[in-house]
Amino acid sequence: MPELAEVEYFRRQWDAGLSRRVLRVHVNQSARVFRGESALAMQHGLSGCKLLGSRTHGKNLLFRFSGGFWLSGHLGMSGELRLGGPNHEPTKHDHLVLYQKSGSLVFHDPRMFGRLRLHQGKAAPDWWLALPPEILSPAFNLEFVRCQLLRRAKSPLKPVLLDQAAFPGIGNWMADEVLWQERLHPTTLAGSLARKGAASLHRRVQKISARALEIIGTSWDDPPASWLFLHRWKAGGSCPRCRGQLSRDEIGGRTTCWCAKCQRR
DNA sequence: CATCATGTTATAAT
DNA sequence: CATTATAACATGAT
């Protein structure tokens, strides 16, 4: 499910617990989302702590608690952050539940490709601080993008857009959306873009990210029908620009949707 | 029953 | 070293 805008939407769900103390914690100890972690340490660590703040970085989430605790999360393919009542009965896929006086914060993930980690320290974990520039930050400038395109010059654009070290937060639908709006075929080699092409791609990535955050990140609304988004899922969909039949195939290991007429190499 | 899914990672092959 | 392909992970929807 989640790409940067969906992740932001889920982050906001837990805002209900801000400035509130965690009274007790439920963990689904054997759940894969705790791989490499001690679920019990998380349970004990977060008990009694107050949720002080949260943020996202691409598809990553970070929640700051009192006592120097930081809970980081990734939603994988099917993760969700939900709210429950103060006596929420955990279901099979509710792997972490933080109970507060007025309600509970639930991490729910059927497929368990998601992940939860706990860090204790004065600052956020090192791996978080080492993440690449966020798409809507000043550091994500044209030079950065050109450098990424150059580094993977012989790769098709599709997998390059999916590279979280280059375009953090871009996932399968956003990558297809960027390529479609730019009229670039997904197999176009990253190194084949001239400076102007790279500049246009850079602006497009930022624009789609910003718009998706407004639309999906706040209320989970659908992007406009003029985008590829609503048409790309069903086989047999048609291009909202030229009405042509949309193509689907696996590119860079992921199902990719494009318009053979509009998108040229 | 088979196929597919808005993701990441380890490993092998080129 | 850069890059690609493949499998693996685990579950639910169609």
Side-chain angles (χ1 to χ4, degrees):
Chain A
M1 257 199 169
E3 301 181 23
L4 93 189
E6 291 88 350
V7 171
E8 169 64 10
Y9 173 83
F10 285 123
R11 182 193 68 78
R12 286 166 179 248
Q13 296 305 107
W14 276 19
D15 279 355
L18 282 172
S19 309
R20 297 200 153 90
R21 203 165 286 286
V22 174
L23 304 176
R24 66 189 173 91
V25 178
H26 161 85
V27 292
N28 213 351
Q29 252 194 89
S30 60
R32 203 179 105 93
V33 298
F34 296 113
R35 56 194 177 281
E37 284 284 300
S38 162
L40 286 182
M42 198 177 296
Q43 182 178 41
H44 295 144
L46 293 177
S47 294
C49 293
K50 196 183 273 189
L51 177 58
L52 299 177
S54 64
R55 56 163 307 189
T56 62
H57 185 300
K59 299 175 188 173
N60 292 288
L61 292 148
L62 187 64
F63 295 89
R64 183 169 60 91
F65 289 85
S66 60
F69 286 103
W70 306 74
L71 174 68
S72 64
H74 193 290
L75 300 173
M77 201 78 112
S78 58
E80 296 180 13
L81 298 185
R82 301 173 168 180
L83 295 178
N87 298 308
H88 177 75
E89 192 62 40
T91 65
K92 185 165 52 158
H93 305 304
D94 293 342
H95 306 305
L96 178 77
V97 184
L98 307 178
Y99 290 96
Q100 298 177 316
K101 190 175 175 185
S102 51
S104 55
L105 311 175
V106 182
F107 178 92
H108 178 272
D109 184 7
R111 291 177 73 180
M112 295 191 281
F113 293 171
R115 190 168 186 188
L116 288 170
R117 285 191 271 181
L118 188 67
H119 164 79
Q120 189 173 20
K122 201 167 171 108
D126 288 343
W127 64 265
W128 178 277
L129 299 171
L131 289 169
E134 285 185 285
I135 285 171
L136 293 175
S137 72
F140 187 88
N141 52 29
L142 178 55
E143 288 326 299
F144 175 79
V145 169
R146 290 192 77 212
C147 179
Q148 303 306 316
L149 294 175
L150 211 63
R151 188 157 64 178
R152 304 195 52 185
K154 287 191 285 189
S155 281
L157 278 173
K158 174 72 189 250
V160 175
L161 282 166
L162 291 176
D163 182 352
Q164 298 303 292
F167 298 94
I170 299 294
N172 207 28
W173 80 254
M174 292 186 85
D176 284 358
E177 189 69 47
V178 167
L179 292 168
W180 178 80
Q181 289 193 19
E182 281 294 291
R183 299 176 187 250
L184 287 167
H185 195 281
T187 59
T188 305
L189 298 187
S192 72
L193 292 191
R195 189 183 187 94
K196 273 188 176 174
S200 182
L201 181 77
H202 170 244
R203 283 194 302 270
R204 189 74 67 179
V205 166
Q206 289 194 314
K207 188 143 194 184
I208 288 175
S209 297
R211 201 69 192 106
L213 281 168
E214 289 171 3
I215 297 169
I216 299 171
T218 57
S219 52
W220 203 272
D221 287 334
D222 281 336
S226 57
W227 282 23
L228 180 64
F229 181 85
L230 290 173
H231 313 271
R232 68 181 297 279
W233 304 112
K234 45 183 185 280
S238 58
C239 171
R241 199 161 40 206
C242 76
R243 296 291 152 204
Q245 176 88 169
L246 292 171
S247 308
R248 292 167 74 85
D249 203 352
E250 189 165 300
I251 297 173
R254 302 295 299 278
T255 299
T256 300
C257 176
W258 75 97
C259 174
K261 218 164 134 189
C262 295
Q263 293 170 257
R264 300 280 164 77
R265 301 190 52 154

